[in-house]
Structures are given as structure tokens and as C-alpha cells.
Amino acid sequence: PDREKYSEREFELKARLEVLMGGKAAEELIFGPENVTAGCTSDLRQATSLARRMVMNFGMADDSMPAPLYMDVDEYAVLSDEAKHDIDTKTQSLMTNAYQKAALHLREHEKELHRLAEALIEYETLTADEINLAVKGKSKQIAVQRKAEEEAMRLRPAQPPPKEAVRRGGQSQKKRRAVPDMPSAAVE
């Protein structure tokens, strides 16, 4: 299919790192560094894993290495402390650069960030179109659109219920099928 990707370029991986670091950067910008929550744990885990793969598996360190390397986890385990430190430093460098770029972007677009945060507090979830409205300062339009959509759904004719097998006595019965390797069990 058109959207399938088999490999990603370095700039795409770095952009993904920036997105992963954006949550922590946004919390620091909005609440201050002393009030950051643990909510970014999953993103940090993913970012660290990606940065480490970029260094160890893809030869994409942020420096002028003589030649790129490929190294799996087992090979990393037997490296000297100095070699491990070098890989860890390169991994940290990728993450630090991604964090700094994310933080800069958020500072440059702080007004839009606040608008988005306010819309999320008010509506909890947003579609892509609603995000665009929120960032542009048109959050009231989200409520108008949602109300119009609710009204359109209310006015639609009701769909008939799905047909089910009917057994004697007029009661409906769901089809049952046997579960493999469990001859006495059935699943609805």
C-alpha cells in the first residue's frame, strides 16, 4: 500500500525523537521544570530505545565516527566500560538535541500550545480538524460543529437491528462455534 514504509531516513527518525521529547518539553514550559510529572515515562522509554538503535544499529550517531557500526544488545553487554560510555554519550546527545529542538519549537508556538491545552481540558479528545481549530484560537467553533454533528446523527433514520438466528419460542440465539482444542467449550 501507499503508506507502507520499510525504512526511515535519519531526519525522519530525528523528527520522531523530537515528537517523543515534546511532552516533557511542553510540561516544563507550561508548569516549570520542578513541576514535571511522570507522564512522559513511556515517551522517554521509546525515545531512549530509538536513539540507542540509531547509534548501535543504524550508524546514525551525531558525530563524525570513522565508520558506522552495527551492534546488538549481546554485543553491547561484552563491551568495555569506555565503549559503553561512548555509545551512551552518543545516545544522550541524540536525545538532548531532540529535546532542545522540541522545546524551541514549543517556545516559538507557545500561544498555540496554550490554546490546544485549553481545548483538550474542555473537550478531552480532539480530531485533527478540531486540533487545527483549537490552535487557531477557534475553540468555540468545535462546540458548534459537535452540536451540528449530534443533531445530524439524531435526525438520521434508525438502522434496523442486525438479524439474528431465531429459535422456537421467538427468542433470539447467537451463533455458537466450537473453540479449537477445547471440545466442550463454545464461544458466542
Side-chain angles (χ1 to χ4, degrees), residues 51-156:
R52 187 171 293 272
R53 285 193 327 270
M54 289 173 69
V55 172
M56 292 176 51
N57 304 133
F58 310 148
M60 296 179 178
D62 268 350
D63 66 359
S64 55
M65 290 177 25
L69 303 172
Y70 174 87
M71 184 175 307
D72 64 22
V73 176
D74 294 332
E75 292 169 325
Y76 177 83
V78 298
L79 291 175
S80 68
D81 288 341
E82 184 180 333
K84 287 179 184 176
H85 178 73
D86 189 41
I87 289 171
D88 294 343
T89 300
K90 292 172 184 175
T91 300
Q92 184 64 54
S93 174
L94 284 170
M95 292 181 63
T96 299
N97 289 341
Y99 175 83
Q100 289 171 342
K101 286 181 181 180
L104 176 63
H105 185 76
L106 290 168
R107 280 192 304 276
E108 290 173 349
H109 298 279
E110 188 171 354
K111 187 187 305 183
E112 292 90 343
L113 175 63
H114 285 283
R115 290 175 183 159
L116 179 59
E118 289 168 8
L120 283 168
I121 288 168
E122 184 173 349
Y123 300 106
E124 291 187 30
T125 60
L126 299 171
T127 66
D129 290 336
E130 292 170 340
I131 290 171
N132 286 328
L133 288 171
V135 174
K136 293 175 184 173
K138 299 178 180 180
S139 286
K140 295 201 183 313
Q141 203 171 335
I142 296 170
V144 171
Q145 284 182 347
R146 286 186 175 191
K147 189 168 186 164
E149 288 170 6
E150 284 178 19
E151 186 66 21
M153 291 295 287
R154 193 179 63 76
L155 295 175
R156 278 193 192 148

Side-chain angles (χ1 to χ4, degrees), residues 5 7-19 50 54 58-62 94 98 101:
K5 285 191 87 163
S7 64
E8 292 177 284
R9 292 178 245 176
E10 185 172 0
F11 76 89
E12 293 169 315
L13 294 170
K14 286 181 177 180
R16 188 153 26 124
L17 278 177
E18 291 170 26
V19 169
L50 176 58
M54 289 173 69
F58 310 148
M60 296 179 178
D62 268 350
L94 284 170
K101 286 181 181 180

